[in-house]
């Protein structure tokens, strides 16, 4: 593995106990390593790379349960469970979708036990439909999903003149806000201008009640011809979506085309510009649009050119990583690294590339044990970053 600014030191972990010991009453999802690991020195925080799971097959999402187990989704339709630091031999049984994407716990999981899954309903090669992005929920009973409920599907998507390839990524993510509303990212499908059409689900963030119904205060619920589920529109492919743990705002990262990847704060009813206002260009290098900003459209708070192809994202808080507190971490697919964005309020001061070459970082999670985790799609790893003073 090629790591940026790497200085490999072999140290006995007992000498690093002040940095690695587990505080009392904290979650322990994986035991701390009992062997020497390499130390990576970033601009403001040194850390060790602890590989906790290997041999994953195209993982997409991960979620940390209160009982110290971890759920990992694989796109082939496997909902894996990690217990005592080991992936159980058999995945979760039950009505698990075949084309699985994200997994998210209900904010009141301790009381209701709901686990939410996003997935893709594959197109019928002989039929009219070319696929749906869908949402369901269920509860765990041992190693089985029970009480499963289909909640919602976005589509069918009009893919003319190019039909959607079977297995093509749909980029769905799930997040909940402080009031318990569910936000659901649906990527662009079909013609580009579908993202600007509020009668279509393509290129939108949807806001739902936790049972899949439409909240009465959604911005387009009383707009004739518009879909009541829509919260924001004009988005291309937003594969990262979180509630900011301090501000409560909904943050997303979005794929541009060639360059112009975006970091956005989602606000009700706003148009985020695609494809009329963008920092992207055509893949050929030709101009996509003359406008990076346009009246009535919300600009990104940050953009990346060249593209990093952002996927999962999360914010580090607390005092475990003294150099990273308040920073935003974004997985990169094309550059195969972890991006750290140094935030000052709503402004990115600078970006730093970490773990270059580790693989296509599909998801990033600051877990309840206060460690930062990431999963890689192509190399099939789940990695924990352990800070070192």
């Amino acid at each position: 593995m090629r790591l940026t600014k790497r200085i490999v030191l072999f140290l006995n972990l007992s000498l690093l106990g002040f940095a690695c010991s587990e505080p009392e009453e904290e979650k322990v999802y994986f035991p701390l390593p009992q062997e020497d690991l390499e130390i990576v020195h970033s601009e403001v925080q040194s850390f060790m790379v602890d590989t906790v799971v290997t041999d994953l097959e195209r993982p997409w999402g991960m979620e940390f349960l209160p009982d110290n187990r971890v759920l990992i989704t694989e796109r082939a339709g496997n909902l894996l469970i990690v217990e005592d630091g080991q992936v159980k031999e058999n995945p979760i049984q039950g009505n698990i979708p075949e084309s699985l994407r994200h997994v998210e716990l209900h904010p009141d999981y301790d009381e209701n036990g709901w686990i939410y899954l996003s997935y893709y309903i594959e197109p019928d090669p002989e039929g009219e439909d070319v696929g749906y992005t869908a949402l369901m929920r269920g509860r765990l009973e041992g190693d089985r999903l029970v009480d499963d409920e289909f909640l919602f599907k976005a589509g069918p998507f009009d893919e003319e003149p190019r039909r959607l390839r079977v297995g093509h990524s749909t980029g769905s993510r799930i997040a909940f806000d402080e009031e318990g509303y569910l936000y659901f990212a649906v990527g662009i499908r079909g013609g580009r201008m579908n993202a600007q059409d509020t009668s279509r689900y393509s290129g939108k963030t949807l806001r739902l009640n936790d049972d899949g119904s439409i909240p009465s205060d959604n911005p387009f619920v009383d707009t004739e011809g518009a879909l009541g589920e829509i919260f924001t529109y004009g988005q291309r492919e937003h594969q990262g979506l979180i509630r900011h743990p301090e501000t409560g705002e909904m943050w997303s990262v979005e794929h541009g085309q060639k360059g112009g990847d975006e970091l956005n704060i989602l606000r009700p009813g706003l148009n985020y510009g695609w494809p009329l206002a963008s920092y992207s260009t055509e893949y050929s290098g030709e101009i996509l649009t003359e406008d990076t900003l346009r009246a009535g459209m919300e600009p990104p708070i940050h953009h990346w050119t060249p593209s990093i192809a952002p996927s999962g994202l999360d914010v580090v808080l607390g005092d475990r990583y003294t150099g990273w507190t308040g920073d935003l971490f974004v997985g990169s697919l094309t550059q195969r690294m972890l991006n750290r964005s140094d935030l000052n309020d709503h402004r990115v001061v600078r970006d730093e590339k970490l773990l270059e070459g580790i693989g296509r970082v599909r998801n990033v999670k600051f877990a309840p044990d206060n460690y930062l985790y990431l999963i890689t799609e192509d190399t099939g790893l789940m990695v924990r970053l352990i800070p070192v003073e």
Side-chain angles (χ1 to χ4, degrees):
M1 184 186 302
R2 181 172 62 87
L3 299 174
T4 181
K5 299 182 180 178
R6 182 173 66 182
I7 299 178
V8 181
L9 301 176
F10 295 99
L11 300 175
N12 190 301
L13 284 179
S14 63
L15 300 178
L16 300 173
F18 64 91
C20 302
S21 60
E22 294 289 345
E24 292 183 0
E25 300 181 357
E26 280 197 331
K27 299 292 183 183
V28 181
Y29 291 97
F30 297 92
L32 286 165
Q34 299 300 309
E35 59 184 21
D36 299 331
L37 299 175
E38 59 188 10
I39 296 179
V40 181
H41 295 283
S42 73
E43 293 176 0
V44 292
Q45 176 70 63
S46 297
F47 61 94
M48 295 184 294
V49 182
D50 181 21
T51 301
V52 294
V53 177
T54 61
D55 300 321
L56 298 171
E57 296 290 336
R58 302 186 75 190
W60 184 279
M62 57 179 161
E63 186 60 290
F64 295 78
L65 299 176
D67 61 6
N68 290 4
R69 296 186 296 171
V70 183
L71 299 176
I72 300 175
T73 58
E74 293 181 330
R75 285 179 57 176
N78 298 317
L79 180 58
L80 307 179
I81 192 158
V82 183
E83 189 170 1
D84 298 326
Q86 301 293 322
V87 178
K88 300 192 74 170
E89 182 177 355
N90 296 316
I92 297 294
Q93 301 300 301
N95 184 25
I96 308 297
E98 292 183 357
S99 192
L100 194 55
R101 296 301 190 266
H102 195 50
V103 55
E104 189 78 10
L105 300 186
H106 191 285
D108 295 326
Y109 175 83
D110 287 340
E111 286 74 39
N112 60 38
W114 285 123
I115 294 171
Y116 289 74
L117 299 172
S118 71
Y119 60 103
Y120 183 57
I121 300 174
E122 299 284 6
D124 177 2
E126 305 301 326
E128 295 292 328
D129 291 351
V130 290
Y132 298 81
T133 299
L135 180 70
M136 67 172 291
R137 68 181 180 181
R139 297 183 174 98
L140 280 182
E141 188 174 280
D143 292 348
R144 189 172 188 84
L145 190 73
V146 299
D147 301 332
D148 52 283
E149 298 179 2
F150 170 82
L151 298 182
F152 176 80
K153 65 179 181 180
F157 295 120
D158 174 15
E159 283 298 311
E160 297 298 337
R162 180 181 64 83
R163 287 181 64 87
L164 186 66
R165 301 191 306 274
V166 174
H168 189 80
S169 167
T170 55
S172 59
R173 291 287 183 192
I174 308 165
F176 286 89
D177 68 12
E178 292 175 313
E179 297 179 304
Y181 292 109
L182 184 153
Y183 295 76
F184 189 36
V186 180
I188 184 70
R189 291 292 172 264
R192 289 171 175 167
M193 288 303 294
N194 284 350
Q196 292 292 318
D197 185 348
T198 55
S199 70
R200 297 175 180 265
Y201 291 111
S202 183
K204 311 297 190 299
T205 305
L206 310 181
R207 179 176 180 256
L208 306 170
N209 293 314
D210 64 357
D211 63 358
S213 61
I214 302 175
S216 60
D217 60 346
N218 270 6
F220 295 100
V221 74
D222 294 322
T223 301
E224 185 177 356
L227 295 167
E229 299 92 342
I230 294 175
F231 185 73
T232 60
Y233 66 109
Q235 293 161 283
R236 184 172 181 265
E237 184 83 0
H238 37 326
Q239 294 190 10
L241 179 66
I242 62 166
R243 178 185 66 84
H244 192 287
E246 289 186 318
T247 68
E249 299 162 323
M250 305 306 296
W251 288 46
S252 76
V253 285
E254 176 180 335
H255 287 239
Q257 191 158 279
K258 186 176 182 181
D261 299 338
E262 295 185 359
L263 171 64
N264 287 304
I265 298 176
L266 306 183
R267 307 192 192 282
L270 293 188
N271 180 353
Y272 287 81
W274 180 262
L276 302 176
S278 175
Y279 289 89
S280 293
T281 63
E282 299 282 6
Y283 288 118
S284 65
E286 296 179 357
I287 293 174
L288 171 70
T289 173
E290 298 284 353
D291 297 325
T292 56
L293 303 174
R294 184 178 283 202
M297 297 182 182
E298 187 73 3
I301 66 170
H302 187 60
H303 65 91
W304 292 275
T305 300
S307 176
I308 67 170
S311 191
L313 76 160
D314 213 343
V315 176
V316 164
L317 295 178
D319 56 6
R320 189 183 291 283
Y321 302 91
T322 56
W324 289 348
T325 300
D327 290 349
L328 180 74
F329 290 80
V330 181
S332 167
L333 299 174
T334 56
Q335 295 194 21
R336 305 179 78 245
M337 58 85 180
L338 178 66
N339 184 88
R340 179 182 74 91
S341 293
D342 184 359
L343 290 176
N344 182 0
D345 192 18
H346 290 149
R347 185 171 65 91
V348 175
V349 177
R350 66 183 181 280
D351 288 307
E352 180 185 14
K353 296 180 180 181
L354 303 172
L355 305 177
E356 290 184 274
I358 194 171
R360 290 167 55 87
V361 179
R362 174 57 72 182
N363 202 7
V364 180
K365 195 88 169 180
F366 184 61
D369 63 0
N370 293 324
Y371 284 108
L372 185 65
Y373 292 82
L374 57 94
I375 54 175
T376 60
E377 181 180 72
D378 52 343
T379 53
L381 303 177
M382 182 177 184
V383 167
R384 171 177 57 180
L385 305 188
I386 300 178
V388 175
E389 293 291 337

